[in-house]
Amino acid sequence: MELKEVLFPLGVAFVLALLVGPLIIPVLRKLKFGQQIRNEGPAAHQKKKGTPTMGGIIILLALSLSALRFGEKNNELIVLLVASLGFGLVGFLDDYIKIVFKRSLGLTAKQKLLGQLVVAAAVCFLLIQNGHSTDLPLPLTGYSLPLGWLYYPLIVLFMLGMTNAVNFTDGLDGLLSGTSAIAFGAFIIIAMKFHHPETAIFSAAMVGAVLGFLVYNAHPAKVFMGDTGSLGIGGGLAAAAILTKSEVVLFIIGGIFIIEILSVVIQVVSFKTRGKRVFKMSPIHHHFELSGWSEWRVVITFWAVGFLLAGLGLYLIEVF
């Protein structure tokens, strides 16, 4: 697979996101699809109230059109699109309820979990139909764990965990757009090395889509992606790791997302068991904000850490 084969879908998705943004953002504003800000969040975020959300539509539209244009319509691409668009649909319903009912929480936890389980189950069904390997490669060892039927329940948990980890990362202008572009950039390289052309094209299209969206999402954001975008990104990222048999490596490449969700877990467990908070606020990006960092400084720092972790992940999987 040649470099130009991924540059075209990346560039087209970027341009599509740039062109679609000015068309969709005014519509979202006119429909009053504005972000509801939690009262318990950082006080500085209250000024963001009313900023159009559900901008993830821009990402998923640009991604889909580019991936379908340049990728072969085979089982691999279907799995990737079902994962990304399926989780994105769950996020869309969540965003829609938040907006229509003017509240900071949309679907109930049980409803959201059920929707995610349905999508994850659909992905597993497609993987089984495609004869996907149930071995789990362990980086640097040359050994794979033969998990058999146990692989699929673990994959469901993996997809749910990763999509929600990505979702928690979406809290500052440009934070998730940048970190997800870095993670998918790593998967372009992985997919090309291990001969998964559709995953490489899909990953490239996602990079282009989120970078195009970043033009409107960088601080001060003109639009937020909402759960529509964050869950769609998370679903696509998990699927890319599964198809390239890089499930373990994703915990390194997507280390920022893991840190974000762990900070929430640590905060909740600590408060419920000891009555004390470990962080000033979770997810951890808010901790740095409340420690005096500017929003832009937090975002740039997290991007830099994301680059380092992506490089480490590629090294562990012996791409370099």
Side-chain angles (χ1 to χ4, degrees):
M1 189 175 189
E2 297 180 9
L3 183 60
K4 67 180 181 180
E5 294 180 72
V6 295
L7 289 179
F8 281 129
L10 191 158
V12 168
F14 178 78
V15 172
L16 284 172
L18 281 181
L19 295 176
V20 170
L23 300 176
I24 289 182
I25 294 171
V27 173
L28 295 175
R29 188 177 291 114
K30 186 175 181 179
L31 293 174
K32 300 187 185 302
F33 281 9
Q35 179 71 36
Q36 300 296 310
I37 305 296
R38 294 181 304 159
N39 292 328
E40 61 271 23
H45 285 212
Q46 292 302 317
K47 63 185 179 183
K48 300 183 180 185
K49 186 174 182 178
T51 300
T53 188
M54 292 175 67
I57 295 171
I58 299 169
I59 296 172
L60 297 181
L61 182 61
L63 162 73
S64 301
L65 291 175
S66 181
L68 288 169
R69 167 61 181 82
F70 293 99
E72 287 189 24
K73 285 73 171 178
N74 59 17
N75 293 332
E76 185 172 329
L77 186 59
I78 291 171
V79 168
L80 290 161
L81 289 176
V82 166
S84 190
L85 298 181
F87 279 101
L89 176 60
V90 175
F92 175 86
L93 294 173
D94 190 48
D95 287 335
Y96 186 79
I97 291 171
K98 289 176 187 176
I99 293 162
V100 170
F101 294 99
K102 304 296 181 185
R103 64 193 195 196
S104 60
L105 297 176
L107 294 171
T108 66
K110 288 183 179 179
Q111 291 170 336
K112 203 169 185 178
L113 177 60
L114 177 61
Q116 293 174 331
L117 282 171
V118 169
V119 178
V123 170
C124 286
F125 175 79
L126 291 170
L127 292 173
I128 292 170
Q129 293 293 105
N130 299 344
H132 184 71
S133 171
T134 56
D135 291 349
L136 183 68
L138 301 177
L140 299 180
T141 67
Y143 180 72
S144 295
L145 289 175
L147 295 175
W149 65 268
L150 184 59
Y151 177 81
Y152 289 103
L154 290 176
I155 283 302
V156 169
L157 292 175
F158 174 75
M159 294 194 76
L160 265 59
M162 188 54 63
T163 52
N164 284 288
V166 171
N167 182 239
F168 278 124
T169 307
D170 183 32
L172 300 178
D173 297 353
L175 177 57
L176 180 54
S177 300
T179 51
S180 63
I182 293 165
F184 274 105
F187 274 98
I188 296 174
I189 299 172
I190 292 171
M192 289 177 69
K193 177 176 175 61
F194 296 117
H195 309 294
H196 288 275
E198 269 53 64
T199 300
I201 288 169
F202 174 90
S203 298
M206 182 68 88
V207 171
V210 294
L211 289 180
F213 179 76
L214 180 59
V215 172
Y216 307 107
N217 184 235
H219 186 71
K222 298 178 179 66
V223 64
F224 300 136
M225 68 173 68
D227 284 6
T228 306
S230 60
L231 291 182
I233 289 170
L237 188 60
I242 292 166
L243 289 169
T244 56
K245 303 304 296 178
S246 310
E247 298 96 335
V248 175
V249 175
L250 180 54
F251 286 94
I252 305 299
I253 292 174
I256 285 291
F257 313 131
I258 304 304
I259 291 168
E260 291 276 17
I261 196 170
L262 283 178
S263 71
V264 174
V265 173
I266 291 169
Q267 187 86 322
V268 171
V269 171
S270 177
F271 187 75
K272 288 191 173 181
T273 56
R274 303 187 305 144
K276 295 182 179 179
R277 292 180 172 87
V278 176
F279 308 104
K280 294 181 179 181
M281 185 176 290
S282 65
I284 198 169
H285 53 257
H286 290 320
H287 171 81
F288 289 106
E289 269 193 294
L290 296 179
S291 297
W293 287 28
S294 68
E295 185 168 349
W296 193 233
R297 180 185 176 188
V298 177
V299 170
I300 291 295
T301 301
F302 276 49
W303 287 358
V305 174
F307 267 116
L308 292 174
L309 291 172
L312 176 60
L314 291 173
Y315 173 78
L316 290 177
I317 207 169
E318 300 177 333
V319 166
F320 296 141

